[in-house]
Amino acid sequence: MSNSAVDILIVGAGPAGLFLAAQLAKINAFHASRTRVGEPAKRIDYRIVDKAEHKVLVGHADGFQCRTVEVFQSLGIAHRVVHEGCEVAEVVFYNPDPDVDSGKGGLKETQRVIDTEPGTSFFRHYLLGQARVEQFLLDLMREEDNTFVEQLMDPTSFEMADDVNSTEYPITVKLRHLAPSVSDGKNKEDSKSGLYRSNLFATETVSTVPEPDKDADEVIKARYMVGCDGARSWVRKQIGLELKGDSANTYWGVVDAIPITDVGILSTSDQYSRLLTKTFLLVFAIVTNNSPEECHSFRRIRVDFNRAPGARLCSVSRLAERFYVQLGRLEPGERVNRNEVTIEKIIEKAQSIVKPYRLECADVEWYTCYEIGQRLCDTFEKQERVFIAGDACHTHSPKAGQGMNTSMMDTYNLGWKLASVIHGTAHPSILSTYQTERHAVANDLIEFDRKIAGLFSGKPATREEAGVSLDEFHALWKKMGKWTTGTAIEYAQSSVVANVKQQSFGIRPELATGILIGSHFENHPAICCGTAQDIQLQHRLISDGRWRIMLYPGDIRNPAVSDRLKSVCENLDGDDGIIRRYTPTGDIDSVIQVLTVFATPRLEVEKQALPEILKPKRSPYGVPAWDTIFADDKSHHTGDSKAYIGYGIKADNDVGCAVLVRPDQYVAGVWADTDIEKLGEY
Ligand code: FAD
């Protein structure tokens, strides 16, 4: 039996686990880029294990929120989402047509609404299969850090030292290397069926478990362990936690298929133009034909048809429709037997809903069935050494496309904190904020989901009968728009978010009225003084584990501003200044990077004359690109940049603004630039 030790053991390689590994890979790659060849690079040692034979190949989650695309941008992979995903432009509502005899059914387009309110994000909302998303993360791990998922690894025992600080590696996990036939997973003969991984009750048991190869078993010791092992989490059980909440009361079928249909915009006659334009209309059809429970939604998704395990990626990439069909209701305690759910039954139900229109599914890519229940763990960690993330700590319906996004954003929140603690640049107490911040998000999400799922599953109002009115549905949909884009999150005051009410550590939120403390740093363009490109400032906040101080000194042509900036930088760069105090090695911007935006025409910013701390730092190789100095100025192509207006910055002769941004792009606080010591104290 082999033994090894790691900083972080990640159990489960779905979206949550892969995102964590990808983020750590990015952080490692940054430190490697600052290290000379032959010298050891500062590195987080992590392993990611999964008991299934391979990643998800088809189906599962498909919604990609704007905020998640922003975060992918910070990892350098948003272009893949934008290229392959289907952009959601509008939501179209269908309802029973009151002019059609209710016995025959009938649908009518009743309203179209914009999907993402203008100004919400630089990016849009996309639909893209989980299989592709997982692939992007795997590619990033390989390219940035040469790391891989270790498949067919099944954890069998767990121990944690009573005093977790008494030993370097307090966690011990034993893993069994599985033979392919033992994995319960993703590669069963019928790759179209996602039922094996759905949350439905399975009557079958694995009857032929071969004797495990004892020599191949392994003991891994770890400083930290993160359970990203889904709704039936093994890690959650080891630390004595359980998902609590509503038991399911409805169950749904999901199908990815190319339909042959004459229902409204789903007509397949424009197949070719669809592929060219990739524009997408999301359709929610609320339908009734005597049965009040029948509701469904259609959305377009890009899928890789006929992909067998191991086949070349994207061999047959086509646009399909995904539809969700409510199959039935459940009494308390009642469970659905997955063996009784077939693709034929799901399609039959969908056909009965869209009657008198035609709906046939010639080419089915994937289908599944699941029960909807909103559940949440009381806490997401044990002794700040073992954490759970994603579906392991919260489950909800996929109605608003939150599952995959929230799971990845959980580990986005956790990854940089773990890395900072392991690198020794943050106190371990920072880890408690994972639980406080993400539990609050999950709680809000479940409340939101309960409302949305209630409306989807509710009986639509008709002329004859009361029920869920379209107005009610639209109103909630609009109100929740920020939720569905992922941009609504506002972390509460903690050691990593300054207290706005008490104006702790001398923060001055009024100096940047367009910036919300506790929320993500939003996007506004500015012009890069070095390259003349118009740059989205948020895009400069790369997820490489670094904090950023965004300085907005004002117009440097003004001698008062220039003098003030000099003294601010002396403070920043001094031996006792915030940057050197928190940067143990000589690599001065490796913990905190300073980015400066001037309210000055870019050619009038004398870059060479600027204080050293503002200039870009050189990696051991290459030339600095002046990519830390920006100006509010005219772009050659896109008009005036308006960063000062966008962020609501107040800067004059006496005061400028310094915004502290966490490694996950959330704003920790806003200070006057003259109060840099206070920022340092914070
Ligand atoms: P998962 O994706 O569940 O990943 C968990 C990983 O852990 C898996 O790779 C699994 O093999 C592995 N694992 C499990 N147990 C162990 C163990 N003991 N040891 C090692 N590895 C283990 N969301 C939407 O937004 N829209 C949808 O339409 C949608 N449809 C879905 C359909 C189905 C059938 C399912 C199951 C989920 C669906 N979801 C949907 C939800 C979405 O897929 C999840 O929210 C998201 O995948 C959660 O990511 P995760 O990484 O937390 O967990």
Side-chain angles (χ1 to χ4, degrees):
M1 186 177 301
S2 64
N3 289 282
S4 56
V6 288
D7 294 322
I8 305 172
L9 174 64
I10 306 168
V11 178
L18 288 173
F19 192 92
L20 178 55
Q23 189 190 169
L24 295 173
K26 190 82 185 169
I27 293 172
N28 281 346
F30 167 70
H31 289 289
S33 77
R34 294 301 183 91
T35 311
R36 284 177 199 284
V37 172
E39 287 174 4
K42 196 165 139 185
R43 179 161 210 291
I44 307 285
D45 226 347
Y46 59 90
R47 283 176 68 179
I48 172 165
V49 298
D50 196 293
K51 70 176 181 180
E53 192 172 353
H54 53 71
K55 67 184 265 294
V56 158
L57 298 175
V58 287
H60 295 84
D62 67 341
F64 221 92
Q65 298 172 336
C66 310
R67 177 69 195 135
T68 313
V69 194
E70 290 180 359
V71 172
F72 269 48
Q73 171 71 28
S74 78
L75 291 175
I77 52 176
H79 60 286
R80 299 190 70 177
V81 178
V82 173
H83 177 66
E84 290 193 26
C86 296
E87 182 184 315
V88 183
E90 253 181 7
V91 184
V92 185
F93 295 90
Y94 280 66
N95 223 33
D97 183 350
D99 297 327
V100 173
D101 175 354
S102 61
K104 289 186 191 148
L107 289 174
K108 188 179 176 187
E109 181 183 318
T110 50
Q111 198 180 2
R112 288 179 176 237
V113 294
I114 187 168
D115 180 74
T116 310
E117 288 297 323
T120 304
S121 171
F122 177 74
F123 293 104
R124 306 279 180 275
H125 177 185
Y126 290 91
L127 293 176
L128 185 64
Q130 186 170 322
R132 297 303 296 146
V133 177
E134 293 190 2
Q135 191 60 49
F136 302 162
L137 296 170
L138 284 164
D139 290 347
L140 188 139
M141 284 166 57
R142 192 190 63 245
E143 285 161 16
E144 299 275 9
D145 203 25
N146 199 24
T147 47
F148 303 86
V149 174
E150 296 170 58
Q151 308 282 172
L152 292 168
M153 296 276 272
D154 187 18
T156 52
S157 76
F158 161 82
E159 280 171 40
M160 184 156 72
D162 292 337
D163 177 0
V164 290
N165 297 319
S166 64
T167 164
E168 200 174 353
Y169 297 101
I171 294 158
T172 307
V173 175
K174 199 169 153 192
L175 292 118
R176 189 174 60 142
H177 290 241
L178 299 176
S181 57
V182 186
S183 99
D184 66 354
K186 304 169 180 177
N187 58 326
K188 290 278 185 251
E189 320 71 52
D190 179 7
S191 65
K192 284 187 166 61
S193 167
L195 292 173
Y196 63 84
R197 266 191 81 194
S198 83
N199 59 1
L200 301 189
F201 176 65
T203 49
E204 78 272 31
T205 52
V206 180
S207 53
T208 52
V209 181
E211 188 63 21
D213 179 354
K214 293 214 170 49
D215 289 338
D217 283 358
E218 184 176 356
V219 174
I220 301 184
K221 288 190 168 286
R223 289 178 212 270
Y224 298 94
M225 176 161 80
V226 187
C228 302
D229 48 347
R232 295 182 202 151
S233 170
W234 175 85
V235 174
R236 187 181 65 227
K237 284 188 199 105
Q238 305 312 304
I239 57 174
L241 300 178
E242 57 175 313
L243 285 170
K244 295 180 183 163
D246 296 352
S247 59
N249 58 10
T250 56
Y251 62 106
W252 288 69
V254 193
V255 180
D256 287 347
I258 295 190
I260 300 167
T261 178
D262 50 6
V263 180
I265 63 156
L266 293 177
S267 158
T268 43
S269 59
D270 63 343
Q271 193 77 267
Y272 182 63
S273 63
R274 272 195 215 165
L275 282 167
L276 285 181
T277 60
K278 284 210 306 172
T279 49
F280 176 82
L281 288 165
L282 180 67
V283 182
F284 291 114
I286 308 178
V287 196
T288 180
N289 59 352
N290 294 335
S291 166
E293 291 165 351
E294 292 171 355
C295 314
H296 66 167
S297 68
F298 281 88
R299 48 218 224 184
R300 190 160 302 161
I301 176 175
R302 181 177 289 272
V303 294
D304 299 338
F305 269 79
N306 306 328
R307 178 136 54 76
R312 196 163 59 87
L313 285 177
C314 262
S315 47
V316 197
S317 177
R318 292 158 76 181
L319 287 174
E321 309 294 339
R322 160 164 294 196
F323 53 92
Y324 291 84
V325 184
Q326 184 174 327
L327 296 174
R329 287 185 174 270
L330 297 167
E331 294 303 320
E334 191 187 357
R335 301 297 310 268
V336 185
N337 181 346
R338 72 167 77 150
N339 291 338
E340 287 171 7
V341 180
T342 60
I343 179 67
E344 290 77 18
K345 278 192 185 163
I346 302 174
I347 293 175
E348 226 171 78
K349 184 79 178 189
Q351 285 167 336
S352 79
I353 291 168
V354 299
K355 251 186 198 167
Y357 295 100
R358 178 184 179 206
L359 174 68
E360 278 155 36
C361 297
D363 216 344
V364 172
E365 158 77 346
W366 176 82
Y367 69 96
T368 192
C369 173
Y370 61 89
E371 298 166 357
I372 294 184
Q374 286 86 8
R375 299 193 190 91
L376 178 65
C377 276
D378 292 337
T379 172
F380 292 180
E381 52 92 13
K382 185 164 183 184
Q383 295 199 49
E384 287 157 24
R385 288 288 179 157
V386 181
F387 301 86
I388 48 176
D391 276 12
C393 46
H394 45 73
T395 62
H396 38 82
S397 81
K399 290 279 82 60
Q402 303 273 340
M404 177 166 67
N405 296 277
T406 312
S407 300
M408 292 192 288
M409 294 307 102
D410 281 350
T411 49
Y412 188 44
N413 184 289
L414 181 61
W416 67 270
K417 293 175 183 170
L418 283 172
S420 317
V421 172
I422 292 166
H423 280 154
T425 54
H427 191 272
S429 61
I430 195 181
L431 296 173
S432 67
T433 62
Y434 166 67
Q435 144 75 21
T436 49
E437 293 187 337
R438 296 309 297 178
H439 192 276
V441 168
N443 212 18
D444 288 352
L445 169 62
I446 279 175
E447 275 311 303
F448 162 68
D449 186 57
R450 212 170 258 141
K451 286 186 188 150
I452 279 283
L455 286 188
F456 269 94
S457 304
K459 173 183 176 177
T462 59
R463 195 179 273 167
E464 299 82 26
E465 285 183 81
V468 177
S469 77
L470 256 196
D471 288 346
E472 204 181 330
F473 195 101
H474 296 158
L476 182 76
W477 189 258
K478 205 168 167 195
K479 191 167 150 216
M480 296 301 187
K482 277 209 115 185
W483 259 105
T484 50
T485 58
T487 56
I489 290 165
E490 226 182 288
Y491 293 136
Q493 180 269 325
S494 72
S495 61
V496 279
V497 176
N499 189 327
V500 179
K501 270 197 194 132
Q502 293 175 5
Q503 306 234 325
S504 57
F505 297 95
I507 55 165
R508 300 272 304 273
E510 78 281 4
L511 293 177
T513 51
I515 290 178
L516 199 56
I517 295 173
S519 185
H520 65 289
F521 183 85
E522 292 198 0
N523 218 352
H524 290 288
I527 311 299
C528 177
C529 288
T531 63
Q533 288 164 304
D534 35 295
I535 301 275
Q536 300 296 325
L537 282 171
Q538 191 196 59
H539 296 186
R540 298 302 311 143
L541 309 182
I542 297 162
S543 289
D544 51 16
R546 291 191 283 176
W547 289 75
R548 265 121 196 149
I549 294 176
M550 305 291 302
L551 270 186
Y552 299 85
D555 187 348
I556 197 169
R557 291 173 300 180
N558 181 336
V561 171
S562 155
D563 289 348
R564 196 184 69 242
L565 183 65
K566 267 191 207 120
S567 104
V568 168
C569 289
E570 276 164 17
N571 236 321
L572 265 176
D573 205 8
D575 286 343
D576 291 335
I578 170 174
I579 293 186
R580 290 186 194 277
R581 228 181 315 150
Y582 295 108
T583 309
T585 68
D587 196 0
I588 196 64
D589 68 342
S590 63
V591 179
I592 305 168
Q593 185 185 34
V594 184
L595 302 176
T596 313
V597 187
F598 291 106
T600 311
R602 71 182 166 89
L603 293 176
E604 294 190 45
V605 177
E606 289 181 45
K607 300 190 294 292
Q608 295 294 356
L610 290 174
E612 277 306 307
I613 194 72
L614 304 185
K615 294 180 185 172
K617 303 298 167 292
R618 194 185 280 268
S619 69
Y621 312 99
V623 181
W626 288 106
D627 57 358
T628 58
I629 313 288
F630 307 92
D632 235 352
D633 197 0
K634 283 189 184 3
S635 148
H636 285 308
H637 299 285
T638 54
D640 291 352
S641 74
K642 294 194 175 74
Y644 272 63
I645 293 176
Y647 294 116
I649 304 288
K650 311 268 180 303
D652 55 26
N653 284 0
D654 301 323
V655 72
C657 175
V659 181
L660 182 63
V661 187
R662 308 180 345 175
D664 60 356
Q665 302 189 334
Y666 283 80
V667 176
V670 173
W671 281 266
D673 59 359
T674 45
D675 286 339
I676 283 292
E677 296 96 338
K678 291 182 184 163
L679 188 157
E681 280 167 33
Y682 164 78

